Amino acid sequence: MSSNVAVSRTVDDLIIEESLTDELGIDPRAAESLVDASTFFDVSLDMLCIRDLQGRVVKVSRSWETTLGWSPEELEGQMLLTLLHPDDRPCTQVTVEQVEDLASGGYVSGFVNRYRHKDGSYRQLEWQARRYGDKIYAVARDVTGREAARRELEAAKAAAEAASQAKTDFLANMSHEIRTPLNGVIGLIGALQADDLTPRQRELVDLIAQSGESLERLVSDILDVSKVEAGQLEIVPVDMDLMDELEPAIATARAKAEARELTFTINVGPKARGRFLADAGRIRQILTNLLSNAVKFTHEGEVTLSLNIEDDAPEPEVSQLTLTVADTGVGFDAEAGRGLFERFTQADSTITRRFGGTGLGLSICRALTEMMGGEISATSTPGQGSTFTVTLPLCRTRSLDAYDAGKVAHQARAELAPLRPSRAGADAPVRVLLAEDHPVNQRVVEAMLTGQPYVLTIVENGAEAVEAVAGGAFDVVLMDMQMPVMDGLAATRAIRAAEAACTAEAGQPARRLPILMLSANAMPQHLEQAKDAGADQHVSKPVTPTTLLGALEAAVGVRAVA
């Protein structure tokens, strides 16, 4: 008897409708394929499965027994989803419908769910499945170990992020807690220095002031090093005037050099001016550190600062700033120079005892320089002095010719324009509102403004500040950032919102009240928060008379009494 009979061996993905030649046997080639397919099911390490559209197992590989403890004989003919973890049924049902839907491609890849082991535990399986005809052909792989490792990695990552955030919060809190009392020390000493003192009193007051400044630098260095280690030291490029931004650091170094009877020389290259896109604060920090070291380690002689800009170097549209600080101080040898930019390292162990310091400053300079894409190097001869060179790539935001033309035009307008009072009754004292909860800091500001053309009103929280601004006339607000009831950021936002409401009601711009944020929070995110809230300036604590009076002068145009 001869006929063509379709035989299904339940391995339809490999053999479909193999023809029998006659009733006596199977075509040899088909028989060989059947043997290969059956062997593949027996030796496969992955879990092979064929089921029908009702979910009943047609055939599974021997690896199911290895992984889940169920033999193929126990599973074939059973409903596959009876082994599924109850919690995984809803999401698995979605994939079941997806793989059975030929219109959507009838395919699922990478889906993970849990199946019950014969011992009652559950294993996680990752599936690849496709529909062919009225069967679903699937391959599963045990990923329990991989998923456990992934969860552990995610947990470790979350723990690391939490630890990093905790460190950030700790640094911010320590910055505030340390700078707050330090503000009292440095601020009150600054106010005391302005009084008439005997030579003996002035000597002692100056020593206290120097110690306070050293402590402030130490706190800043430690915080910066911690931020470098945590990867949280940020570079924030802004459009800045190079010389305007560097001038405060230069002026401070010049004053310190002259106080030590050193010659201070500055050489400015022909193109070392203009507006650039760069982080002005970080460049100034590098320069301040190098100049401070030069003055500190030089007993006699001179300190020289050279600034140069080379345009279109090292590539077009890029300018290279070179800062060179040279001194005639103690110097260091080649061996000491090799570790000079490492943390907690100084030229020799006696430097710390002779000059003080932590050895953090130059490592911070290197970190900042490299973060801005630059380089820092040093050369020195013991007993003759040292030279530090910093190169930084900058981008001009306008051409040098346009910058020079703008400067000339601005100067011409300033000479022709009449003096414009910044407030009503320019001859009257400036009305200053201070929002500050700490009694010592209140006294610091009060002492600094004594004898100056300012009338001070003090409130103790942000809510009182908002109320005072609404009910009184003030020319400027000094706002602490951290206060009870309402903090300085919320108070600043409330004041700006009230100004916006007045503008909308009147149909013309309302007067913008200058707000200066006084804060011991000196980290970059805090400066950005103050700016976003509507503050006009951010003055970091500890505040000195020079910085406070300078900020007030910039805000209201009233020069302090010398």
Side-chain angles (χ1 to χ4, degrees):
M1 185 172 63
S2 177
S3 64
N4 290 331
V5 180
V7 176
S8 176
R9 298 282 294 176
T10 71
V11 287
D12 306 286
D13 55 331
L14 300 173
I15 303 172
I16 299 175
E17 299 182 356
E18 290 285 357
S19 298
L20 298 177
T21 57
D22 52 46
E23 62 182 358
L24 297 177
I26 303 172
D27 182 283
R29 289 172 299 178
E32 183 179 354
S33 296
L34 286 168
V35 171
D36 288 345
S38 180
T39 302
F40 180 60
F41 262 69
D42 287 337
V43 302
S44 174
L45 298 178
D46 285 331
M47 302 164 67
L48 307 182
C49 174
I50 303 173
R51 70 167 178 84
D52 60 25
L53 295 182
Q54 287 70 47
R56 189 174 291 104
V57 176
V58 175
K59 185 175 180 63
V60 294
S61 60
R62 186 62 57 182
S63 52
W64 278 75
E65 185 172 11
T66 304
T67 303
L68 292 180
W70 304 99
S71 68
E73 292 76 17
E74 291 176 297
L75 292 176
E76 290 170 3
Q78 304 300 316
M79 300 298 291
L80 181 61
L81 295 186
T82 57
L83 300 179
L84 186 66
H85 192 290
D87 293 345
D88 291 349
R89 285 187 179 276
C91 57
T92 300
Q93 187 59 42
V94 173
T95 64
V96 167
E97 295 172 359
Q98 181 181 342
V99 77
E100 292 178 355
D101 183 10
L102 289 174
S104 65
Y107 178 72
V108 167
S109 176
F111 179 70
V112 177
N113 55 12
R114 290 167 289 178
Y115 275 74
R116 188 175 69 253
H117 193 280
K118 197 171 184 179
D119 65 9
S121 63
Y122 282 88
R123 308 292 293 178
Q124 288 183 289
L125 306 182
E126 181 180 61
W127 290 90
Q128 314 283 335
R130 183 185 294 278
R131 176 176 176 176
Y132 186 87
D134 59 356
K135 300 290 191 301
I136 304 299
Y137 300 86
V139 179
R141 178 170 295 178
D142 184 3
V143 294
T144 306
R146 187 194 73 185
E147 290 298 300
R150 180 184 60 80
R151 289 192 299 271
E152 291 176 1
L153 182 61
E154 290 176 350
K157 181 174 179 290
E161 290 173 347
S164 178
Q165 184 59 47
K167 184 174 183 178
T168 298
D169 295 340
F170 175 77
L171 289 175
N173 186 56
M174 285 300 97
S175 174
H176 181 271
E177 294 302 320
I178 295 174
R179 289 176 187 272
T180 295
L182 195 56
N183 181 61
V185 174
I186 294 178
L188 291 175
I189 287 299
L192 187 59
Q193 285 176 313
D195 288 349
D196 292 330
L197 303 173
T198 65
R200 172 65 174 168
Q201 290 171 333
R202 183 160 300 281
E203 178 186 6
L204 296 177
V205 168
D206 288 346
L207 287 174
I208 297 173
Q210 292 169 14
S211 299
E213 291 173 1
S214 298
L215 181 58
E216 196 275 332
R217 284 195 301 271
L218 173 60
V219 170
S220 297
D221 284 351
I222 292 174
L223 290 173
D224 276 344
V225 166
S226 298
K227 285 183 281 187
V228 169
E229 291 178 342
Q232 296 167 345
L233 199 64
E234 298 179 357
I235 300 298
V236 184
V238 296
D239 184 4
M240 59 96 175
D241 186 303
L242 178 65
M243 292 308 298
D244 285 353
E245 295 295 341
L246 297 186
E247 180 56 36
I250 296 172
T252 300
R254 186 193 302 276
K256 290 181 177 180
E258 292 175 351
R260 293 171 62 92
E261 298 183 351
L262 302 174
T263 300
F264 187 89
T265 304
I266 177 170
N267 301 315
V268 180
K271 295 183 179 179
R273 64 188 185 281
R275 299 195 69 85
F276 298 86
L277 185 65
D279 191 325
R282 296 305 186 185
I283 296 176
R284 188 168 56 248
Q285 183 178 355
I286 293 171
L287 181 60
T288 297
N289 201 305
L290 296 181
L291 288 174
S292 177
N293 281 349
V295 172
K296 179 169 69 172
F297 295 127
T298 303
H299 291 298
E300 58 182 4
E302 64 178 340
V303 173
T304 302
L305 168 64
S306 299
L307 296 95
N308 286 285
I309 290 284
E310 184 178 354
D311 290 324
D312 296 321
E315 58 185 85
E317 306 300 323
V318 176
S319 299
Q320 180 168 280
L321 168 65
T322 302
L323 302 172
T324 304
V325 177
D327 64 63
T328 58
V330 296
F332 53 87
D333 58 27
E335 182 179 355
R338 282 191 287 272
L340 195 63
F341 294 102
E342 301 298 325
R343 294 172 196 167
F344 310 106
T345 301
Q346 291 188 325
D348 65 67
S349 59
T350 64
I351 293 292
T352 301
R353 294 192 295 272
R354 293 169 58 196
F355 298 99
T358 60
L360 294 174
L362 289 177
S363 70
I364 295 171
C365 286
R366 183 180 68 174
L368 292 175
T369 299
E370 292 177 349
M371 289 176 69
M372 291 187 285
E375 297 179 351
I376 183 170
S377 60
T379 59
S380 183
T381 301
Q384 297 183 22
S386 307
T387 299
F388 287 81
T389 302
V390 174
T391 59
L392 294 170
L394 307 178
C395 292
R396 289 191 184 272
T397 57
R398 66 188 68 176
S399 69
L400 189 56
D401 290 340
Y403 172 80
D404 290 339
K407 279 286 190 180
V408 172
H410 177 76
Q411 184 176 356
R413 287 194 300 271
E415 292 174 351
L416 293 175
L419 293 176
R420 177 178 60 85
S422 59
R423 56 194 170 82
D427 293 334
V430 178
R431 296 156 297 184
V432 179
L433 175 65
L434 170 64
E436 169 65 68
D437 64 305
H438 200 290
V440 173
N441 291 338
Q442 293 175 0
R443 186 68 185 92
V444 167
V445 175
E446 186 178 14
M448 289 181 180
L449 298 187
T450 299
Q452 300 294 337
Y454 300 104
V455 174
L456 183 64
T457 300
I458 300 176
V459 295
E460 295 188 351
N461 60 63
E464 292 180 2
V466 174
E467 183 179 354
V469 169
F474 294 97
D475 300 304
V476 63
V477 177
L478 302 176
M479 186 80 73
D480 185 37
M481 184 177 285
Q482 291 187 346
M483 293 181 290
V485 184
M486 177 185 285
D487 63 42
L489 297 175
T492 300
R493 285 191 288 265
I495 292 171
R496 295 304 183 216
E499 291 174 347
C502 289
T503 296
E505 182 178 345
Q508 58 183 7
R511 170 179 172 267
R512 180 182 173 89
L513 179 65
I515 299 178
L516 280 60
M517 194 70 71
L518 301 180
S519 173
N521 293 331
M523 302 179 81
Q525 62 266 35
H526 300 134
L527 275 63
E528 192 66 26
Q529 289 171 357
K531 180 181 177 182
D532 292 343
D536 297 288
Q537 295 186 56
H538 185 283
V539 181
S540 296
K541 296 177 182 177
V543 179
T544 65
T546 300
T547 56
L548 178 61
L549 296 175
L552 286 170
E553 180 181 345
V556 298
V558 174
R559 188 175 296 277
V561 176

